[in-house]
Structures are given as C-alpha cells and as structure tokens.
Amino acid sequence: MRARAAGTHKAIIESLRVATKPYVGSSIAASGTVTHANGGTEAIGDRRDIGNALVSFAFVAVIDGDAQAVDHAKRWLMQVAAFSTFDLDGTRDLVLGHNLAGVSLAYDLLAPQLTAAEASVVRAAIAQNGALLAQAAQSGIWWESQRYGNHNWINYAALGMAALATEGELPATTTNAWKALAVSNARRVRDLLASIVDGTWHEGYAYLSYGLSWHLPLVSALKRATGEDLAPAPLMRGLGRAWAAMQIPE
C-alpha cells in the first residue's frame, strides 16, 4: 500500500492527506464539536463523519508513518472510544453504525501503536456498541429487513467489521455471533440483487455508491477471511455502463 501511495495511488492518498491536515492536533467531542489546536472550534455536522474521519486519519497515519499523524489518529480514536455511546442520536441506526465501523477499522490499523491499556479501552467500547447494534438487528428494528437500502448494508457492515477487527481478542461467542449476522445478511443482499443486471438503482447512484462504500469493504474482507464471495456481482458489472450512459457529458 505504501508503494502504491508513492506511485499509482498517489492522488488518492494526497487527497486524504489534504483532508486530514487541518485537523491534526484537534480533539472531538460527542456533540460533534471539533476543537482545533489553536483553540478554534467547528461543528463536524453529521456525526456519521466522526467514524468516517477515524478511518481516514488512521489510514493516513499508517501509510505515512509520521509520528504527528499517528498521534492525531490515536487521539481521536481514544476520545471516541471514551464516549458513553456511539449511538449519538439515539436511533440505533447510521450514526451508531458509522462510529462502530470507524472505531473498529481505526483500531485494526492502529493496534501496533496502542498500549495494552489503550487497546483494552477501545475493545471495551467496540464490545459495548457492537452489542447495542446487534441487539437492534435481532429485535427487528426497521432497517433490519430493508435489504434494498443502505441503512441495512451499512449497519450490518459495521457489525461484520467489528467482528473481524476484534476476532481472537473479544470472546469468540461475541465475534462469531456478529460475523454470523453480517454474513447471513450479506448472503440475502447478494441473492436479492442478483436480478439487477443493468446497474440501475431505485434510489439513484448517490445512494447506491454510499451503501456500496461500506458493503463492498465488508464482503471483500469476508472473502479473504472465509473464502465465500458475497459481492453483488451482476449489479457491479452493470454499474459502470449504466453510470456512463446516464451521466451528463463532461
């Protein structure tokens, strides 16, 4: 990945560096308030972006290996892990899902940089909030059965990522249960989407891209971990052609 960041993928990592730089030295509160190193504050807005930012910050830290970037990513990770809950809007939905996934992926990336005590704090937060999201799914919350929608994909992706990131560290009964929920849902999503071969989507490409941006990393990780391919292949094969056909030229 570092070699690609210096070559074929340079533009991608550079955009992540540019997005990360203004936040180096900042802190994040559960309210969504960012306090910058100079004392200035801003509202992050949608608190799903707390989890999203964690992934970007941790990825840049790992690729660059820069001490300042690592310290910044760790600071945000530990601050978010200290929140009383990741369900910041109380809906047991996307804010919880994004923050659980963000903490899980940041933990996976930054684990070698964490002390034993720090790692224990993060794992406890993942355990607490993973249990909350799993309980919501098992209780039949509205998004659980909505397998044509991104709420379902993202929340189950969060559970799956949490399971994979903590496998062998949290009790097997916990991670196995989360992974089983994620795999079962991904199988149903794959089978439901098998009939969509032209790449179109009832909610438009922005919604589809948003959902896939979390669902595809999950199924890719599950394929490496289990060997089972759960990707919605027909939809993906048609997506590029459909998008090209529908997009305004230039």
Side-chain angles (χ1 to χ4, degrees):
M1 298 286 290
R2 291 189 181 104
R4 291 177 181 177
T8 56
H9 290 53
K10 186 174 181 179
I12 297 173
I13 189 64
E14 188 57 33
S15 70
L16 293 174
R17 289 183 184 123
V18 168
T20 296
K21 188 175 180 179
Y23 292 93
V24 171
S26 69
S27 60
I28 182 66
S31 63
T33 299
V34 178
T35 301
H36 291 281
N38 63 5
T41 62
E42 68 170 286
I44 201 168
D46 191 327
R47 285 182 287 180
R48 287 177 290 184
D49 285 332
I50 296 174
N52 297 349
L54 280 174
V55 180
S56 295
F57 295 163
F59 186 72
V60 169
V62 169
I63 292 296
D64 288 353
D66 175 74
Q68 190 178 44
V70 171
D71 288 345
H72 167 62
K74 279 184 58 177
R75 182 186 304 109
W76 269 56
L77 174 60
M78 298 312 302
Q79 288 170 345
V80 177
F83 291 173
S84 61
T85 180
F86 296 165
D87 188 21
L88 301 178
D89 64 351
T91 64
R92 297 186 300 167
D93 194 7
L94 292 175
V95 171
L96 172 58
H98 275 256
N99 289 328
L100 176 62
V103 168
S104 299
L105 292 171
Y107 172 67
D108 196 48
L109 288 163
L110 297 171
Q113 311 292 340
L114 301 177
T115 66
E118 289 169 337
S120 179
V121 168
V122 178
R123 284 195 301 269
I126 293 172
Q128 172 194 335
N129 290 280
L132 181 62
L133 193 58
Q135 182 184 47
Q138 291 171 312
S139 68
I141 195 169
W142 73 269
W143 49 258
E144 191 282 327
S145 62
Q146 302 298 310
R147 296 186 180 90
Y148 282 111
N150 56 57
H151 292 254
N152 172 281
W153 299 2
I154 291 162
N155 290 326
Y156 272 108
L159 266 182
M161 290 172 181
L164 293 171
T166 58
E167 203 162 26
E169 299 178 26
L170 292 180
T173 51
T174 296
T175 55
N176 288 347
W178 294 351
K179 187 162 70 171
L181 286 169
V183 168
S184 176
N185 190 74
R187 285 173 180 157
R188 293 176 181 178
V189 170
R190 177 196 59 190
D191 295 344
L192 282 170
L193 300 186
S195 63
I196 303 177
V197 298
D198 63 358
T200 57
W201 192 245
H202 62 289
E203 288 187 298
Y205 295 120
Y207 274 82
L208 177 59
S209 297
Y210 170 48
L212 289 175
S213 70
W214 289 96
H215 183 66
L216 291 182
L218 171 68
V219 297
S220 296
L222 287 172
K223 184 176 181 179
R224 291 194 300 273
T226 69
E228 184 176 5
D229 191 351
L230 298 169
L235 172 64
M236 296 304 301
R237 280 195 292 267
L239 178 58
R241 292 192 303 272
W243 207 328
M246 297 291 288
Q247 198 161 342
I248 297 173
E250 303 299 329

